[in-house]
């Protein structure tokens, strides 16, 4: 059995593990999507507005001027609404993060 490594660079936050069918229903018509990632036997669930895969040997640069505050405020509002649809109402703070994934 082979293993596939990938890394994601995303804006959002981690939520308690949630099944894909629940996420699909809750995020229908939302600008928010989700990401399941983690080590081989422990997936984590993330709500995200921006998400790019970063391959080994590659990189991404985020400049402060690339994302003006009104856009970030819109992302935060969309993430908060999406989390509420899933019953997550506290314990999160949106931000940029890197998630390594092994599957």
């Amino acid at each position: 059995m082979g293993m596939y490594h990938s890394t994601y660079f995303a804006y959002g936050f981690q939520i308690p593990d949630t099944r894909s069918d629940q996420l699909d229903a809750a995020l229908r018509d939302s600008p928010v999507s989700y990401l399941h990632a983690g080590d081989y036997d422990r997936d984590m669930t993330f709500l995200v507005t921006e998400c790019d895969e970063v391959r080994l040997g590659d990189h991404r640069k985020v400049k402060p001027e690339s994302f003006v505050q009104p856009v970030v405020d819109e992302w935060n509002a969309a993430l908060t609404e999406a989390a509420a649809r899933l019953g997550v109402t506290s314990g999160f703070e949106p931000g940029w993060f890197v998630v390594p994934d092994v599957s």
Side-chain angles (χ1 to χ4, degrees):
M1 177 171 82
M3 295 176 78
Y4 178 74
H5 298 263
S6 55
T7 302
Y8 299 94
F9 180 64
Y11 187 85
F13 52 85
Q14 185 178 358
I15 62 170
D17 285 341
T18 307
R19 292 189 340 257
S20 294
D21 60 333
Q22 291 174 305
L23 291 161
D24 290 338
L27 301 178
R28 190 171 290 121
D29 300 323
S30 172
V32 174
S33 59
Y34 64 90
L35 170 65
H36 288 298
D39 62 24
Y40 186 72
D41 59 355
R42 184 182 57 113
D43 269 352
M44 296 171 282
T45 303
F46 300 87
L47 293 182
V48 299
T49 56
E50 295 292 313
C51 184
D52 291 315
E53 183 174 358
V54 182
R55 300 213 179 263
L56 288 174
D58 200 358
H59 69 281
R60 294 286 187 266
K61 181 186 286 187
V62 177
K63 297 179 181 180
E65 62 271 15
S66 298
F67 303 100
V68 294
Q69 194 59 44
V71 172
V72 173
D73 290 342
E74 289 174 21
W75 290 347
N76 290 345
L79 286 162
T80 300
E81 179 183 327
R85 290 180 186 183
L86 292 161
V88 179
T89 58
S90 64
F92 59 85
E93 181 178 351
W96 288 105
F97 57 90
V98 175
V99 181
D101 182 45
V102 179
S103 53

